[in-house]
C-alpha cells in the first residue's frame, strides 16, 4: 500500500508579519504536534510526515500539503498550531479511506474548509487522460 504523505512547510510563520529571531516558527510547532498526534491516530504507519523547506505560499501562514499515489494533492494555507494538527489528521483519515482521494466538502473538518486552497489532480496515474472507460 502506498504511503500517504503530509508535507509541512518548515519556514512558515503566521503569528506576525515578521519571522521571529529565535525559532520555533509556527510551522515547527505544527510539525511537532502532527508527529505526536500521528503516532496516536495512525498505528500502522500509513502516514508519513515530511518537513519541506518551502511550499511557496509565504503570505499564507502555515502551509501543508497532503498527497498520495494516484490521489489528488490538497493544499491547506493559513493554518495555526493547535487545532490544525488534529483537523489535518481527521482529514487524512477521510483521504485514506477514499479510493480516489476525494473528500466530500461537508466531511472536511470545518477548521480546514476555509484553509483549503487547492485540490490538484494526481500527476501519477495508471490511466492516460482520454483513455478511461
Amino acid at each position: 500500500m502506498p504511503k500517504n504523505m503530509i508535507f509541512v512547510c518548515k519556514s512558515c510563520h503566521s503569528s506576525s508579519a515578521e519571522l521571529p529571531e529565535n525559532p520555533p516558527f509556527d510551522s515547527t510547532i505544527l510539525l511537532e504536534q502532527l508527529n505526536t498526534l500521528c503516532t496516536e491516530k495512525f498505528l500502522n504507519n500509513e502516514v508519513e510526515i515530511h518537513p519541506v523547506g518551502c511550499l511557496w505560499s509565504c503570505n499564507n501562514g502555515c502551509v501543508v500539503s497532503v498527497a498520495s499515489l494516484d490521489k489528488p494533492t490538497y493544499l491547506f494555507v493559513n493554518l495555526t498550531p493547535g487545532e490544525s494538527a488534529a483537523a489535518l489528521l481527521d482529514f487524512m483519515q477521510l483521504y485514506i479511506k477514499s479510493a480516489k482521494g476525494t473528500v466530500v466538502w461537508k466531511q472536511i473538518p470545518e477548521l480546514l474548509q476555509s484553509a483549503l486552497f487547492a485540490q490538484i489532480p494526481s500527476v501519477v496515474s495508471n490511466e492516460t487522460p482520454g483513455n478511461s472507460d
Side-chain angles (χ1 to χ4, degrees), residues 70 125-129 131-133:
D70 289 328
S125 179
N126 293 332
E127 295 181 9
T128 304
N131 290 341
S132 61
D133 293 323

Side-chain angles (χ1 to χ4, degrees), residues 23-84:
F25 300 135
D26 287 346
S27 58
T28 304
I29 297 167
L30 179 58
L31 181 62
E32 290 171 0
Q33 291 171 340
L34 282 168
N35 280 319
T36 299
L37 291 173
C38 189
T39 58
E40 297 170 8
K41 282 197 175 215
F42 299 97
L43 301 177
N44 59 357
N45 297 320
E46 59 191 338
V47 174
E48 290 181 1
I49 300 172
H50 298 278
V52 294
C54 185
L55 288 173
W56 283 47
S57 192
C58 300
N59 292 329
N60 292 308
C62 290
V63 180
V64 171
S65 67
V66 170
S68 186
L69 184 65
D70 289 328
K71 291 184 176 184
T73 296
Y74 287 84
L75 183 66
F76 295 96
V77 299
N78 294 318
L79 299 171
T80 56
E83 295 173 341
S84 294

Side-chain angles (χ1 to χ4, degrees), residues 112-124:
L112 297 181
Q113 289 179 358
S114 62
L116 181 55
F117 186 76
Q119 179 195 49
I120 304 159
S122 172
V123 293
V124 179

